[in-house]
Amino acid sequence: MATVVICRVTSNEEDCELAVIVGKNQAFVVPFKTSKDSSTADLSGKPVALSLNGGCSDDRPAACVQTEASASNTADTKEDGDEDANDAAAAAASDGGKTRHAVASAAFNSNGRLLAVCGDERNVNVYCTETWTKLHAWAAKRRVCTLRFASRGDELLLADKTGDIYKYKCGEDFTETPEMVLGHISVLLDIGVSLDNRFIFSCDRDDKVRVSRYPNAYNIESFCLGHTQFVSCLASTVKYPDNLFSGSGDGCVIMWQFKTGSLLSKLELSEQQPVSVLAASATGRVAIAQEKSCDIHLAAVTDGSLHIQHTVRVNAGSGGIVSMVFSDDDFLWVLRDNADHPVDVVHVPAAITAKETVSLVIQPSLQQSLTACVPMVEGFLHSHLDMDVLAKEPMDGLHRYFERKNERLQQASSASK
């Protein structure tokens, strides 16, 4: 599954924003600028393509950089023993398990100077965003679920599909030997770090969100319990630093007071469509996408509860939403499972109302650069995980026992007549 991340950086004393779209073997970096007055997003510099298996490409426009052949992955050696059942469930693909589930992840550190990227393979790469030189590269022990930098410093958190989270220091004292932070006994689906860098959030297939103290994550602060299916995604915002938003396979989004594990508000969507992607803006807006849907629900907190203010459908065509992220100016970048039109940029006004039309605002120069990344993400988008394999069937043995007992009583009653 491809992904997109956004970060604002300062270059030559000028602020700009970088959008990074990650595919199988390349990351596509697009510098852009936004205008609130005209509600448009436009290209602000030369795009760059970064190889995730070899060295960094040159600074030619990314449209001129050809995708390199995938290098052999030295980390594909088999682990001793069988992989556990949770990893096997997470690895199953949407075609019934015949194709391996592909995951891409990327993260900026707090000041935007470092970019960590992991593509289809287990290779993790850390780049300097000022020169786009590759600072560190190593092979993760197991397939990577997601990457996150701590809210301060250069500590990179890596979560793998078996439920473990590891910490790497990406500064001058870098070492390929990680420090284990915490572990779950279930499949990890997303992680996050609080804005004050004191807590780490982790959600899994077993319907729960775990809040642990950071860096001493063996101290568990709370569990956020309220979902009835796997918890697929997490989001937080600077406007509500004590709150956490979670999306689940039960079709609900919950707002938590994460320090106590208290459920503050529950937004119920369709049970037939798991919540697959969450994104939160600095102004407190929450964008919600469900699996295999082109609709984006824009929600906000009013009177202490989470409510949908507007629903927008991105450009017509097949393919659901794979990834979303807000830029600093409330421009929402959307990556879709559509090779003909994989990227949309949506302007979300600060004072949106239910009657207001949310606009698509990509300028021609930016659209041309984004089109150049289509060969990189084509095919990779379709390899995303079908969330049906994560859903758990209820195991109510007592209920089934009474059903069978009633059947026997009815049969005995009929036979006696």
Side-chain angles (χ1 to χ4, degrees), residues 290-317:
Q290 293 181 273
E291 188 186 29
K292 301 175 183 177
S293 172
C294 295
D295 292 337
I296 302 173
H297 304 291
L298 298 172
V301 178
T302 55
D303 298 328
S305 298
L306 190 63
H307 299 282
I308 293 178
Q309 294 182 314
H310 192 87
T311 299
V312 59
R313 171 161 289 189
V314 293
N315 286 329

PDB file of all heavy atoms in Angstrom, residues 290-317:
ATOM      1  N   GLN A 290     -13.463   5.593   4.490  1.00  0.00           N
ATOM      2  CA  GLN A 290     -13.775   4.187   4.722  1.00  0.00           C
ATOM      3  C   GLN A 290     -13.279   3.344   3.554  1.00  0.00           C
ATOM      4  O   GLN A 290     -13.091   3.841   2.438  1.00  0.00           O
ATOM      5  CB  GLN A 290     -15.285   4.009   4.916  1.00  0.00           C
ATOM      6  CG  GLN A 290     -15.790   4.667   6.198  1.00  0.00           C
ATOM      7  CD  GLN A 290     -17.275   4.482   6.403  1.00  0.00           C
ATOM      8  OE1 GLN A 290     -18.068   5.270   5.907  1.00  0.00           O
ATOM      9  NE2 GLN A 290     -17.658   3.447   7.140  1.00  0.00           N
ATOM     10  N   GLU A 291     -13.091   2.077   3.810  1.00  0.00           N
ATOM     11  CA  GLU A 291     -12.511   1.184   2.821  1.00  0.00           C
ATOM     12  C   GLU A 291     -13.351   1.154   1.543  1.00  0.00           C
ATOM     13  O   GLU A 291     -14.577   1.079   1.593  1.00  0.00           O
ATOM     14  CB  GLU A 291     -12.385  -0.226   3.389  1.00  0.00           C
ATOM     15  CG  GLU A 291     -11.616  -1.169   2.477  1.00  0.00           C
ATOM     16  CD  GLU A 291     -11.633  -2.600   2.990  1.00  0.00           C
ATOM     17  OE1 GLU A 291     -12.598  -2.986   3.660  1.00  0.00           O
ATOM     18  OE2 GLU A 291     -10.670  -3.331   2.707  1.00  0.00           O
ATOM     19  N   LYS A 292     -12.666   1.222   0.388  1.00  0.00           N
ATOM     20  CA  LYS A 292     -13.270   1.101  -0.941  1.00  0.00           C
ATOM     21  C   LYS A 292     -14.290   2.197  -1.221  1.00  0.00           C
ATOM     22  O   LYS A 292     -15.199   2.017  -2.028  1.00  0.00           O
ATOM     23  CB  LYS A 292     -13.908  -0.281  -1.118  1.00  0.00           C
ATOM     24  CG  LYS A 292     -12.931  -1.438  -0.949  1.00  0.00           C
ATOM     25  CD  LYS A 292     -13.630  -2.770  -1.017  1.00  0.00           C
ATOM     26  CE  LYS A 292     -12.648  -3.908  -0.760  1.00  0.00           C
ATOM     27  NZ  LYS A 292     -13.317  -5.246  -0.760  1.00  0.00           N
ATOM     28  N   SER A 293     -14.147   3.342  -0.550  1.00  0.00           N
ATOM     29  CA  SER A 293     -15.065   4.462  -0.760  1.00  0.00           C
ATOM     30  C   SER A 293     -14.288   5.681  -1.243  1.00  0.00           C
ATOM     31  O   SER A 293     -13.143   5.889  -0.840  1.00  0.00           O
ATOM     32  CB  SER A 293     -15.800   4.797   0.541  1.00  0.00           C
ATOM     33  OG  SER A 293     -16.560   5.981   0.399  1.00  0.00           O
ATOM     34  N   CYS A 294     -14.916   6.487  -2.100  1.00  0.00           N
ATOM     35  CA  CYS A 294     -14.314   7.738  -2.569  1.00  0.00           C
ATOM     36  C   CYS A 294     -14.814   8.938  -1.772  1.00  0.00           C
ATOM     37  O   CYS A 294     -14.479  10.080  -2.094  1.00  0.00           O
ATOM     38  CB  CYS A 294     -14.624   7.949  -4.051  1.00  0.00           C
ATOM     39  SG  CYS A 294     -13.879   6.730  -5.147  1.00  0.00           S
ATOM     40  N   ASP A 295     -15.617   8.698  -0.752  1.00  0.00           N
ATOM     41  CA  ASP A 295     -16.155   9.788   0.060  1.00  0.00           C
ATOM     42  C   ASP A 295     -15.217  10.105   1.224  1.00  0.00           C
ATOM     43  O   ASP A 295     -14.678   9.202   1.865  1.00  0.00           O
ATOM     44  CB  ASP A 295     -17.526   9.417   0.620  1.00  0.00           C
ATOM     45  CG  ASP A 295     -18.582   9.314  -0.463  1.00  0.00           C
ATOM     46  OD1 ASP A 295     -18.392   9.926  -1.530  1.00  0.00           O
ATOM     47  OD2 ASP A 295     -19.587   8.612  -0.249  1.00  0.00           O
ATOM     48  N   ILE A 296     -15.064  11.392   1.494  1.00  0.00           N
ATOM     49  CA  ILE A 296     -14.296  11.866   2.644  1.00  0.00           C
ATOM     50  C   ILE A 296     -15.249  12.601   3.573  1.00  0.00           C
ATOM     51  O   ILE A 296     -15.873  13.588   3.180  1.00  0.00           O
ATOM     52  CB  ILE A 296     -13.156  12.805   2.215  1.00  0.00           C
ATOM     53  CG1 ILE A 296     -12.212  12.104   1.238  1.00  0.00           C
ATOM     54  CG2 ILE A 296     -12.374  13.286   3.434  1.00  0.00           C
ATOM     55  CD1 ILE A 296     -11.171  13.028   0.652  1.00  0.00           C
ATOM     56  N   HIS A 297     -15.379  12.126   4.788  1.00  0.00           N
ATOM     57  CA  HIS A 297     -16.208  12.785   5.795  1.00  0.00           C
ATOM     58  C   HIS A 297     -15.322  13.756   6.569  1.00  0.00           C
ATOM     59  O   HIS A 297     -14.312  13.363   7.152  1.00  0.00           O
ATOM     60  CB  HIS A 297     -16.820  11.767   6.751  1.00  0.00           C
ATOM     61  CG  HIS A 297     -17.614  10.691   6.073  1.00  0.00           C
ATOM     62  ND1 HIS A 297     -18.808  10.940   5.444  1.00  0.00           N
ATOM     63  CD2 HIS A 297     -17.370   9.356   5.929  1.00  0.00           C
ATOM     64  CE1 HIS A 297     -19.283   9.814   4.944  1.00  0.00           C
ATOM     65  NE2 HIS A 297     -18.424   8.837   5.223  1.00  0.00           N
ATOM     66  N   LEU A 298     -15.722  15.016   6.584  1.00  0.00           N
ATOM     67  CA  LEU A 298     -14.984  16.054   7.305  1.00  0.00           C
ATOM     68  C   LEU A 298     -15.727  16.342   8.597  1.00  0.00           C
ATOM     69  O   LEU A 298     -16.877  16.807   8.586  1.00  0.00           O
ATOM     70  CB  LEU A 298     -14.863  17.309   6.452  1.00  0.00           C
ATOM     71  CG  LEU A 298     -14.095  17.113   5.143  1.00  0.00           C
ATOM     72  CD1 LEU A 298     -14.196  18.350   4.270  1.00  0.00           C
ATOM     73  CD2 LEU A 298     -12.644  16.774   5.410  1.00  0.00           C
ATOM     74  N   ALA A 299     -15.077  16.033   9.727  1.00  0.00           N
ATOM     75  CA  ALA A 299     -15.712  16.164  11.036  1.00  0.00           C
ATOM     76  C   ALA A 299     -14.972  17.175  11.888  1.00  0.00           C
ATOM     77  O   ALA A 299     -13.797  17.501  11.641  1.00  0.00           O
ATOM     78  CB  ALA A 299     -15.747  14.801  11.741  1.00  0.00           C
ATOM     79  N   ALA A 300     -15.655  17.675  12.894  1.00  0.00           N
ATOM     80  CA  ALA A 300     -15.058  18.618  13.847  1.00  0.00           C
ATOM     81  C   ALA A 300     -15.700  18.405  15.209  1.00  0.00           C
ATOM     82  O   ALA A 300     -16.787  17.814  15.323  1.00  0.00           O
ATOM     83  CB  ALA A 300     -15.239  20.058  13.381  1.00  0.00           C
ATOM     84  N   VAL A 301     -15.020  18.885  16.239  1.00  0.00           N
ATOM     85  CA  VAL A 301     -15.519  18.761  17.609  1.00  0.00           C
ATOM     86  C   VAL A 301     -16.337  20.008  17.947  1.00  0.00           C
ATOM     87  O   VAL A 301     -15.833  21.128  17.906  1.00  0.00           O
ATOM     88  CB  VAL A 301     -14.356  18.606  18.605  1.00  0.00           C
ATOM     89  CG1 VAL A 301     -14.888  18.520  20.030  1.00  0.00           C
ATOM     90  CG2 VAL A 301     -13.525  17.370  18.266  1.00  0.00           C
ATOM     91  N   THR A 302     -17.599  19.796  18.249  1.00  0.00           N
ATOM     92  CA  THR A 302     -18.482  20.883  18.679  1.00  0.00           C
ATOM     93  C   THR A 302     -19.209  20.434  19.939  1.00  0.00           C
ATOM     94  O   THR A 302     -19.776  19.335  19.983  1.00  0.00           O
ATOM     95  CB  THR A 302     -19.513  21.241  17.584  1.00  0.00           C
ATOM     96  OG1 THR A 302     -20.239  20.060  17.212  1.00  0.00           O
ATOM     97  CG2 THR A 302     -18.811  21.808  16.366  1.00  0.00           C
ATOM     98  N   ASP A 303     -19.166  21.289  20.949  1.00  0.00           N
ATOM     99  CA  ASP A 303     -19.799  20.992  22.247  1.00  0.00           C
ATOM    100  C   ASP A 303     -19.306  19.671  22.827  1.00  0.00           C
ATOM    101  O   ASP A 303     -20.071  18.915  23.439  1.00  0.00           O
ATOM    102  CB  ASP A 303     -21.326  20.962  22.106  1.00  0.00           C
ATOM    103  CG  ASP A 303     -21.903  22.294  21.654  1.00  0.00           C
ATOM    104  OD1 ASP A 303     -21.320  23.329  22.024  1.00  0.00           O
ATOM    105  OD2 ASP A 303     -22.905  22.297  20.917  1.00  0.00           O
ATOM    106  N   GLY A 304     -18.020  19.398  22.623  1.00  0.00           N
ATOM    107  CA  GLY A 304     -17.421  18.213  23.217  1.00  0.00           C
ATOM    108  C   GLY A 304     -17.668  16.925  22.478  1.00  0.00           C
ATOM    109  O   GLY A 304     -17.225  15.853  22.932  1.00  0.00           O
ATOM    110  N   SER A 305     -18.374  16.969  21.328  1.00  0.00           N
ATOM    111  CA  SER A 305     -18.673  15.760  20.562  1.00  0.00           C
ATOM    112  C   SER A 305     -18.187  15.909  19.131  1.00  0.00           C
ATOM    113  O   SER A 305     -18.098  17.025  18.603  1.00  0.00           O
ATOM    114  CB  SER A 305     -20.181  15.468  20.573  1.00  0.00           C
ATOM    115  OG  SER A 305     -20.637  15.239  21.888  1.00  0.00           O
ATOM    116  N   LEU A 306     -17.892  14.772  18.521  1.00  0.00           N
ATOM    117  CA  LEU A 306     -17.410  14.746  17.147  1.00  0.00           C
ATOM    118  C   LEU A 306     -18.602  14.623  16.204  1.00  0.00           C
ATOM    119  O   LEU A 306     -19.405  13.694  16.321  1.00  0.00           O
ATOM    120  CB  LEU A 306     -16.452  13.569  16.962  1.00  0.00           C
ATOM    121  CG  LEU A 306     -15.652  13.483  15.660  1.00  0.00           C
ATOM    122  CD1 LEU A 306     -14.713  14.670  15.518  1.00  0.00           C
ATOM    123  CD2 LEU A 306     -14.851  12.180  15.612  1.00  0.00           C
ATOM    124  N   HIS A 307     -18.702  15.578  15.264  1.00  0.00           N
ATOM    125  CA  HIS A 307     -19.813  15.596  14.322  1.00  0.00           C
ATOM    126  C   HIS A 307     -19.288  15.776  12.898  1.00  0.00           C
ATOM    127  O   HIS A 307     -18.309  16.488  12.670  1.00  0.00           O
ATOM    128  CB  HIS A 307     -20.795  16.745  14.642  1.00  0.00           C
ATOM    129  CG  HIS A 307     -21.428  16.650  15.984  1.00  0.00           C
ATOM    130  ND1 HIS A 307     -22.477  15.805  16.254  1.00  0.00           N
ATOM    131  CD2 HIS A 307     -21.149  17.292  17.149  1.00  0.00           C
ATOM    132  CE1 HIS A 307     -22.835  15.924  17.522  1.00  0.00           C
ATOM    133  NE2 HIS A 307     -22.041  16.836  18.101  1.00  0.00           N
ATOM    134  N   ILE A 308     -19.979  15.144  11.936  1.00  0.00           N
ATOM    135  CA  ILE A 308     -19.640  15.336  10.526  1.00  0.00           C
ATOM    136  C   ILE A 308     -20.228  16.659  10.058  1.00  0.00           C
ATOM    137  O   ILE A 308     -21.430  16.907  10.197  1.00  0.00           O
ATOM    138  CB  ILE A 308     -20.167  14.169   9.665  1.00  0.00           C
ATOM    139  CG1 ILE A 308     -19.432  12.869  10.019  1.00  0.00           C
ATOM    140  CG2 ILE A 308     -19.996  14.476   8.183  1.00  0.00           C
ATOM    141  CD1 ILE A 308     -19.913  11.658   9.249  1.00  0.00           C
ATOM    142  N   GLN A 309     -19.376  17.516   9.491  1.00  0.00           N
ATOM    143  CA  GLN A 309     -19.830  18.800   8.976  1.00  0.00           C
ATOM    144  C   GLN A 309     -20.100  18.755   7.477  1.00  0.00           C
ATOM    145  O   GLN A 309     -20.944  19.476   6.961  1.00  0.00           O
ATOM    146  CB  GLN A 309     -18.774  19.880   9.247  1.00  0.00           C
ATOM    147  CG  GLN A 309     -18.560  20.193  10.711  1.00  0.00           C
ATOM    148  CD  GLN A 309     -17.539  21.290  10.899  1.00  0.00           C
ATOM    149  OE1 GLN A 309     -16.475  21.269  10.286  1.00  0.00           O
ATOM    150  NE2 GLN A 309     -17.836  22.251  11.751  1.00  0.00           N
ATOM    151  N   HIS A 310     -19.355  17.923   6.788  1.00  0.00           N
ATOM    152  CA  HIS A 310     -19.452  17.926   5.329  1.00  0.00           C
ATOM    153  C   HIS A 310     -18.893  16.602   4.802  1.00  0.00           C
ATOM    154  O   HIS A 310     -18.010  16.001   5.421  1.00  0.00           O
ATOM    155  CB  HIS A 310     -18.633  19.098   4.755  1.00  0.00           C
ATOM    156  CG  HIS A 310     -18.874  19.370   3.311  1.00  0.00           C
ATOM    157  ND1 HIS A 310     -19.876  20.184   2.854  1.00  0.00           N
ATOM    158  CD2 HIS A 310     -18.238  18.927   2.196  1.00  0.00           C
ATOM    159  CE1 HIS A 310     -19.835  20.245   1.540  1.00  0.00           C
ATOM    160  NE2 HIS A 310     -18.853  19.485   1.122  1.00  0.00           N
ATOM    161  N   THR A 311     -19.421  16.148   3.686  1.00  0.00           N
ATOM    162  CA  THR A 311     -18.890  14.976   2.998  1.00  0.00           C
ATOM    163  C   THR A 311     -18.588  15.356   1.565  1.00  0.00           C
ATOM    164  O   THR A 311     -19.445  15.926   0.874  1.00  0.00           O
ATOM    165  CB  THR A 311     -19.890  13.801   3.034  1.00  0.00           C
ATOM    166  OG1 THR A 311     -20.132  13.423   4.390  1.00  0.00           O
ATOM    167  CG2 THR A 311     -19.328  12.600   2.290  1.00  0.00           C
ATOM    168  N   VAL A 312     -17.377  15.086   1.138  1.00  0.00           N
ATOM    169  CA  VAL A 312     -16.957  15.430  -0.214  1.00  0.00           C
ATOM    170  C   VAL A 312     -16.513  14.165  -0.928  1.00  0.00           C
ATOM    171  O   VAL A 312     -15.906  13.276  -0.330  1.00  0.00           O
ATOM    172  CB  VAL A 312     -15.809  16.468  -0.195  1.00  0.00           C
ATOM    173  CG1 VAL A 312     -14.590  15.952   0.557  1.00  0.00           C
ATOM    174  CG2 VAL A 312     -15.405  16.862  -1.616  1.00  0.00           C
ATOM    175  N   ARG A 313     -16.845  14.063  -2.202  1.00  0.00           N
ATOM    176  CA  ARG A 313     -16.412  12.939  -3.029  1.00  0.00           C
ATOM    177  C   ARG A 313     -15.331  13.435  -3.962  1.00  0.00           C
ATOM    178  O   ARG A 313     -15.531  14.410  -4.700  1.00  0.00           O
ATOM    179  CB  ARG A 313     -17.574  12.352  -3.818  1.00  0.00           C
ATOM    180  CG  ARG A 313     -17.155  11.313  -4.853  1.00  0.00           C
ATOM    181  CD  ARG A 313     -18.306  10.443  -5.284  1.00  0.00           C
ATOM    182  NE  ARG A 313     -18.706   9.528  -4.220  1.00  0.00           N
ATOM    183  CZ  ARG A 313     -19.579   8.542  -4.388  1.00  0.00           C
ATOM    184  NH1 ARG A 313     -20.147   8.341  -5.560  1.00  0.00           N
ATOM    185  NH2 ARG A 313     -19.885   7.750  -3.382  1.00  0.00           N
ATOM    186  N   VAL A 314     -14.170  12.788  -3.932  1.00  0.00           N
ATOM    187  CA  VAL A 314     -13.080  13.168  -4.824  1.00  0.00           C
ATOM    188  C   VAL A 314     -13.430  12.755  -6.243  1.00  0.00           C
ATOM    189  O   VAL A 314     -14.453  12.106  -6.486  1.00  0.00           O
ATOM    190  CB  VAL A 314     -11.748  12.529  -4.372  1.00  0.00           C
ATOM    191  CG1 VAL A 314     -11.305  13.097  -3.052  1.00  0.00           C
ATOM    192  CG2 VAL A 314     -11.880  11.012  -4.260  1.00  0.00           C
ATOM    193  N   ASN A 315     -12.559  13.127  -7.192  1.00  0.00           N
ATOM    194  CA  ASN A 315     -12.859  12.937  -8.607  1.00  0.00           C
ATOM    195  C   ASN A 315     -13.414  11.548  -8.891  1.00  0.00           C
ATOM    196  O   ASN A 315     -12.955  10.552  -8.332  1.00  0.00           O
ATOM    197  CB  ASN A 315     -11.603  13.172  -9.445  1.00  0.00           C
ATOM    198  CG  ASN A 315     -11.269  14.642  -9.527  1.00  0.00           C
ATOM    199  OD1 ASN A 315     -12.158  15.480  -9.498  1.00  0.00           O
ATOM    200  ND2 ASN A 315      -9.994  14.962  -9.604  1.00  0.00           N
ATOM    201  N   ALA A 316     -14.388  11.500  -9.793  1.00  0.00           N
ATOM    202  CA  ALA A 316     -15.058  10.242 -10.097  1.00  0.00           C
ATOM    203  C   ALA A 316     -14.077   9.215 -10.637  1.00  0.00           C
ATOM    204  O   ALA A 316     -13.038   9.540 -11.205  1.00  0.00           O
ATOM    205  CB  ALA A 316     -16.175  10.495 -11.110  1.00  0.00           C
ATOM    206  N   GLY A 317     -14.440   7.979 -10.490  1.00  0.00           N
ATOM    207  CA  GLY A 317     -13.582   6.884 -10.953  1.00  0.00           C
ATOM    208  C   GLY A 317     -13.474   5.825  -9.885  1.00  0.00           C
ATOM    209  O   GLY A 317     -13.809   6.051  -8.717  1.00  0.00           O
TER     210      GLY A 317
END
